[in-house]
Amino acid sequence: MRAPAPAYASNDGVVDAARAALGASLIDAVEHVGEVALHVKREALYDAMIVLRDTPGLAYQQLMEIAGVDYPERAERFEVVYCLLSLTRNHRIRVHVATDEEKPVPSVTAIWPVAGWLEREVYDMYGVLFSGNADLRRILTDYGFRGHPQRKDFPLTGYVELRYSEEAKRVVYEPVQLAQDFRTFDFQSPWEGAAYVLPGDEKGALPQAKGAPTPLSADAIQKADATQSATKAPAAPSEPYAKKDATSTAQSGAGEPDPGNQKQDKPVESDVVPTKGGGQNQ
């Protein structure tokens, strides 16, 4: 029989213990859907992480992940989220820090060396600066990449594109050139319908087949068997060369003793050598 998976420890007392340990450096503590989130002041982040790691009853020894979130409508648009794990208590917690494009966040590489690469990812994707990181450079994007792709205002196509140039015999960067302009989408529910008329929607206003349901009123409906096309079908490309029906027996050769298919009526080919007996085609 397989052993059951270990259950995480409950959140009972975690928020109160964090409030007592962090004190004034804690902005807010929220427990939602079974998870605890601590919002900490940016300048007090380093000391708060040491407290969360070394305080008995908390003991979050391991940094699992650092993530970034972008809220363009806020004054401090970025949030840096630290996911901590307590190995002794089997419990997880999140620490949130708010910042903008210019204010750096204290690095925690001196507490957890793994934060070096994680902070580089947040810097590469969002442009958040970390003071104290000795190797703060891009880690996911290519050399010379412009902008930060996880920001909400970053264009979906980017600013430059790369290709291999046969003339230069190397990879070159060029400004993005779109084959067509961006289309404007209203992100409306397809079941509600758009406020504008799309190409092809005019077909929905025509009368449908006889007996089929239609959104038109009874006055606007035409009977299906009464609507006939008065226009002539377009001529085929081979119409000038098509066979025509004979209008009289004189044109068809009917009743003639020699309608033109006798031996003497066939053309003589100079390249054909007659064989003995004439042959079928001679």
Side-chain angles (χ1 to χ4, degrees):
M1 181 177 178
R2 297 180 56 184
Y8 287 109
S10 64
N11 297 330
D12 296 340
V14 174
V15 174
D16 295 336
R19 290 183 185 274
L22 297 177
S25 60
L26 181 65
I27 299 176
D28 192 12
V30 180
E31 180 178 355
H32 184 62
V33 295
E35 298 181 356
V36 176
L38 305 179
H39 296 265
V40 179
K41 295 180 180 179
R42 181 181 59 258
E43 59 276 6
L45 174 66
Y46 185 85
D47 295 334
M49 289 298 192
I50 295 179
V51 170
L52 293 176
R53 184 193 63 178
D54 298 339
T55 300
L58 296 175
Y60 293 98
Q61 303 97 343
Q62 191 167 352
L63 174 64
M64 302 300 297
E65 183 60 86
I66 300 178
V69 188
D70 184 15
Y71 299 98
E73 66 279 1
R74 297 183 183 179
E76 293 183 334
R77 60 181 295 182
F78 302 115
E79 271 195 8
V80 184
V81 183
Y82 299 81
C83 301
L84 305 182
L85 171 65
S86 175
L87 300 175
T88 56
R89 299 176 52 250
N90 194 20
H91 190 267
R92 295 178 184 267
I93 201 173
R94 298 196 317 268
V95 179
H96 296 244
V97 174
T99 186
D100 55 16
E101 302 175 357
E102 299 178 356
K103 299 175 184 177
V105 177
S107 176
V108 294
T109 52
I111 306 175
W112 296 288
V114 69
W117 283 37
L118 301 178
E119 290 173 356
R120 285 177 58 184
E121 291 180 358
V122 177
Y123 164 72
D124 194 0
M125 295 292 102
Y126 296 92
V128 176
L129 301 176
F130 292 90
S131 61
N133 190 318
D135 190 21
L136 190 62
R137 54 191 173 93
R138 293 185 181 271
I139 189 174
L140 297 177
T141 55
D142 198 2
Y143 298 102
F145 190 88
R146 176 185 171 189
H148 304 280
Q150 288 295 334
R151 290 186 178 183
K152 297 294 182 61
D153 52 3
F154 187 83
L156 297 180
T157 57
Y159 297 102
V160 295
E161 59 184 357
L162 60 90
R163 66 176 181 87
Y164 181 78
S165 174
E166 288 290 346
E167 295 80 8
K169 300 299 181 182
R170 63 182 179 87
V171 175
V172 296
Y173 290 86
E174 296 176 342
V176 172
Q177 296 181 359
L178 300 178
Q180 62 181 1
D181 295 336
F182 278 116
R183 298 178 180 176
T184 55
F185 299 94
D186 56 4
F187 301 102
Q188 195 173 19
S189 172
W191 289 273
E192 298 176 0
Y196 49 85
V197 178
L198 295 175
D201 286 355
E202 66 277 2
K203 299 178 181 179
L206 298 178
Q208 300 182 5
K210 185 177 181 180
T214 175
L216 300 179
S217 61
D219 297 336
I221 298 177
Q222 299 180 3
K223 294 184 178 180
D225 52 2
T227 57
Q228 298 180 358
S229 176
T231 59
K232 182 181 178 181
S238 60
E239 185 174 355
Y241 310 98
K243 294 181 179 180
K244 297 181 180 180
D245 297 336
T247 57
S248 65
T249 57
Q251 298 179 359
S252 63
E256 297 182 3
D258 186 6
N261 57 355
Q262 299 299 321
K263 178 180 180 181
Q264 62 272 13
D265 297 330
K266 296 181 180 180
V268 179
E269 299 181 8
S270 59
D271 296 338
V272 178
V273 179
T275 59
K276 185 178 180 179
Q280 180 179 359
N281 298 326
Q282 301 169 5

